[in-house]
Amino acid sequence: MRGSLVVATPDLLDPNFARTVVLILEHSPEGAVGVVLNRPSATVLEEGMPGWAMLAAPPSRVFVGGPVEPVAAIGLGRVPSGRSSSPEGRHAALFGEVCSIDLGSDPVLSVPDVEVVRVFAGYAGWGPGQLDDEVAADGWFVVDRDDGDVFSGAPEVLWREVLRRQPGPLRLFSTYPEDPSQN
């Protein structure tokens, strides 16, 4: 599941995860960690981390990565195809063109390696077997990611877009109304 997206089913009503798209960064027998890709906060990146704002993918906001450790910052970046980790340790390849960013490093020095950055406050975390159980209980759809999803300029429609591009019946969920009683 590492590197995949978990997309909240319409029945998942937990306010932390309703209609979210979560990129799974780690998944092992010890648990899983991910970041919510479609929850920009009101905090402009220029206010929270001004040095990184020049590399920010629009919208230039700090994103709510999840309810766990909301003061922890996680940086993801896009590096050109074929690039791996930087020798200086400023970024480390995760999957595809997506890398983790050392937000403590000097962003000016990262410019040659990193094309764009997204910063998340907090993360989504699951204990041993918890995410697998939630997927089995139809709380999440597991789908392949497109590297562009991580840096989407339209996070407010990402849930629908990700579902719309899925094959078969799964794509029908993209038309599911937010309030079925209004259908």
Side-chain angles (χ1 to χ4, degrees):
M1 215 181 295
R2 182 180 184 272
S4 296
L5 299 177
V6 291
V7 180
T9 65
D11 293 335
L12 192 119
L13 302 178
D14 177 330
N16 291 306
F17 296 110
R19 297 227 171 192
T20 58
V21 177
V22 180
L23 174 66
I24 300 301
L25 301 174
E26 284 298 327
H27 183 254
S28 71
E30 288 80 40
V33 172
V35 289
V36 176
L37 299 179
N38 59 331
R39 292 268 168 94
S41 74
T43 304
V44 178
L45 194 56
E46 183 68 38
E47 295 170 10
M49 303 186 88
W52 290 99
M54 68 180 175
L55 291 171
S60 182
R61 303 257 181 218
V62 174
F63 278 60
V64 177
V68 181
E69 293 190 47
V71 295
I74 295 174
L76 297 180
R78 181 175 56 221
V79 293
S81 291
R83 288 276 176 96
S84 61
S85 301
S86 73
E88 300 84 14
R90 291 189 305 263
H91 64 78
L94 291 175
F95 26 76
E97 296 180 344
V98 178
C99 64
S100 64
I101 299 291
D102 175 3
L103 294 171
S105 69
D106 183 342
V108 174
L109 297 176
S110 297
V111 172
D113 299 315
V114 179
E115 297 174 336
V116 68
V117 170
R118 176 125 311 143
V119 176
F120 300 89
Y123 60 91
W126 293 266
Q130 184 181 2
L131 180 56
D132 298 314
D133 291 346
E134 290 179 16
V135 168
D138 296 327
W140 299 97
F141 301 122
V142 180
V143 301
D144 292 335
R145 80 167 190 292
D146 179 292
D147 287 347
D149 297 333
V150 180
F151 309 102
S152 172
E156 66 281 355
V157 296
L158 188 61
W159 185 85
R160 288 189 189 282
E161 285 181 357
V162 169
L163 289 172
R164 189 174 295 125
R165 72 173 185 243
Q166 301 309 309
L170 192 52
R171 84 178 292 135
L172 296 174
F173 284 98
S174 70
T175 63
Y176 199 89
E178 288 198 38
D179 182 357
S181 69
Q182 300 297 314
N183 193 10

